[in-house]
Amino acid sequence: STLLRSLVWAVHPAIPGHQNGLISAAEPWSGVYSIQDPLWMLAHTTRFTQVGWWVLPLQSGATGHLKRGGTFVTYLSPDRNSFTLVVEKLQARCQSCAGATTGSEEVVFT
């Protein structure tokens, strides 16, 4: 996949899209910055996977969408001895939930 996003976005907060980067710095000269949610999600994913790992397909049931917004993705190592399950559940408006806000949800492993 391709990640196409500015690493650091240094724009005044009054300008639309001021948090479009992976890291936002409204006043970069001050040294103050904030790490945006997509970077945290990327960090959690790459911490427990490696290049060459496979994403299990939707049809397998090991990857999919949560009922109240969010996703889960299962990565499998090439030797099939290890796997990583990443659950993404951002607290925001859910586009696939008819405008509902994402809420807490129980995830059960069987």
Side-chain angles (χ1 to χ4, degrees):
S1 68
T2 302
L3 177 66
L4 187 57
R5 198 173 257 251
S6 298
L7 179 58
V8 178
W9 193 257
V11 177
H12 191 275
I15 297 174
H18 71 276
Q19 293 182 332
N20 281 349
L22 295 176
I23 300 171
S24 292
E27 298 175 341
W29 55 87
S30 70
V32 176
Y33 62 91
S34 63
I35 297 176
Q36 303 303 309
D37 291 339
L39 185 56
W40 285 118
M41 191 170 60
L42 181 63
H44 286 290
T45 298
T46 58
R47 170 68 176 95
F48 299 104
T49 62
Q50 296 179 8
V51 173
W53 283 43
W54 302 313
V55 175
L56 296 180
L58 285 168
Q59 297 84 356
S60 70
T63 296
H65 297 277
L66 299 172
K67 292 177 183 176
R68 296 184 183 159
T71 61
F72 60 98
V73 179
T74 303
Y75 295 85
L76 184 64
S77 65
D79 62 8
R80 298 179 182 225
N81 288 329
S82 300
F83 75 93
T84 295
L85 175 65
V86 177
V87 178
E88 170 271 318
K89 182 82 173 163
L90 298 176
Q91 296 296 319
R93 307 277 309 160
C94 176
Q95 294 178 359
S96 64
C97 301
T101 302
T102 61
S104 61
E105 187 164 356
E106 184 176 324
V107 178
V108 179
F109 301 98
T110 58

